[in-house]
């Protein structure tokens, strides 16, 4: 999973996708911090859990920005949310 993130970061850098580059860099930084805390390589489940936490943070930020009537920040967080959700497995529908 981590290799896929790093490869996608390289592709985003080559493609000039600034939003993806910044989002993936933040995620990889968070994963590196968790790796240092754990003092070992992270499992795919731990990486997925970190991505889920990042998704939750974006959703909470979107709610706050909507309450604050900050449309520009809502759009930015929504784009980041979509990028992060691409790395999670599809959720089952009801």
């Amino acid at each position: 999973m981590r290799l896929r993130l790093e490869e996608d970061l390289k592709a985003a850098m080559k493609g000039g996708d600034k939003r993806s580059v910044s989002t993936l860099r933040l995620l990889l930084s968070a994963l590196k911090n968790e790796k240092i805390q754990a003092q070992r390589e992270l499992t795919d489940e731990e990486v997925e859990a970190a991505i889920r936490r990042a998704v939750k943070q974006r959703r909470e930020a979107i709610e706050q920005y909507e309450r604050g009537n900050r449309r520009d920040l809502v759009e930015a967080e929504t784009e980041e949310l979509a990028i992060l959700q691409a790395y999670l497995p599809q959720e089952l529908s009801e």
Side-chain angles (χ1 to χ4, degrees):
M1 174 76 83
R2 187 177 171 91
L3 289 175
R4 179 179 167 211
L5 291 168
E6 290 171 355
E7 302 229 346
D8 288 351
L9 173 61
K10 289 177 190 175
M13 290 171 75
K14 288 179 182 177
D17 185 356
K18 292 181 182 181
R19 178 76 61 205
S20 292
V21 169
S22 67
T23 302
L24 293 174
R25 280 185 176 161
L26 282 171
L27 180 59
L28 287 169
S29 175
L31 292 174
K32 185 176 180 180
N33 289 337
E34 287 191 29
K35 177 184 170 186
I36 290 170
Q37 282 184 329
Q39 298 180 348
R40 62 178 167 73
E41 290 294 323
L42 299 176
T43 64
D44 282 345
E45 291 80 22
E46 290 170 322
V47 171
E48 186 178 319
I51 296 171
R52 288 189 190 283
R53 282 192 297 276
V55 165
K56 182 180 177 188
Q57 289 173 345
R58 297 310 183 284
R59 286 184 176 143
E60 290 171 354
I62 289 169
E63 287 177 22
Q64 291 177 357
Y65 292 144
E66 284 176 343
R67 277 187 256 137
N69 205 17
R70 292 294 310 265
R71 197 74 212 141
D72 55 330
L73 296 175
V74 169
E75 290 174 15
E77 292 291 330
T78 303
E79 289 175 17
E80 290 182 12
L81 179 64
I83 293 166
L84 292 171
Q85 286 179 325
Y87 296 99
L88 294 175
Q90 288 288 335
E91 295 180 3
L92 297 176
S93 62
E94 293 181 27

